[in-house]
Amino acid sequence: MNTPHVVVVMGVAGTGKTTIGPLLAAHLGVPYAEGDDFHPEANIAKMSAGTPLTDEDRWPWLDSIGAWALGRGGLGGVVSSSALKRSYRDRLRSAAPGLVFVHLTGERGLIEDRMSHRHGHFMPTALLDSQFATLQPLGPDEAGVAVDVSGGPEEIAGRAAAALRELGAKPRGQLTSQ
């Protein structure tokens, strides 16, 4: 494909979407959008209180991310979104066909440890179990790759960029690292 893809960096809370997303965007030479910024205040309040979101809570959030992704069609971009269920990814794809997903994966213990060391984020560690219970990994018919989150952020972003190259998601211009 000659035009850059819009890539959704997905995974449970604590996998590093907010850290890896901008690094991956830099590798691909495209803008990054933080998925959490698309949440309505009511969603943030609910999660801050330790209450998992319902599908009804997520639809407007996913629609906002989908609208951003649609606007980046042909230009490329990277956006973070948990996108835990197939139905969430389907909703994103219905708004912006051609999305490619990077599923950040890892051992629960590693993810919980990382979550316990971050400060100022509204998602409490207590919701990690509900995230794993909700997670539906990418299906074989979904455009995307799974990338393990062990290692440092640059290493993870580099592996994601390499996996996207193998998949055929072309960057704008040259990549800065191989």
Side-chain angles (χ1 to χ4, degrees), residues 40-53 57 121-128 130:
E41 287 298 321
N43 285 8
I44 292 171
K46 210 171 178 180
M47 289 183 285
S48 295
T51 304
L53 298 179
D57 295 327
H121 195 277
F122 58 81
M123 177 67 84
T125 305
L127 289 181
L128 190 56
S130 72

Side-chain angles (χ1 to χ4, degrees), residues 78-141:
V78 174
V79 62
S80 58
S81 170
S82 53
L84 297 176
K85 288 185 181 180
R86 171 70 184 247
S87 62
Y88 303 163
R89 297 188 297 272
D90 288 345
R91 186 145 183 150
L92 290 169
R93 278 190 294 267
S94 71
L99 289 177
V100 176
F101 293 84
V102 171
H103 180 188
L104 299 179
T105 65
E107 295 295 322
R108 189 193 186 291
L110 172 65
I111 294 167
E112 184 173 20
D113 182 61
R114 288 182 179 175
M115 282 183 78
S116 70
H117 287 94
R118 67 184 185 180
H119 302 285
H121 195 277
F122 58 81
M123 177 67 84
T125 305
L127 289 181
L128 190 56
D129 286 336
S130 72
Q131 293 258 303
F132 273 106
T134 302
L135 176 64
Q136 297 171 342
L138 290 173
D141 61 329

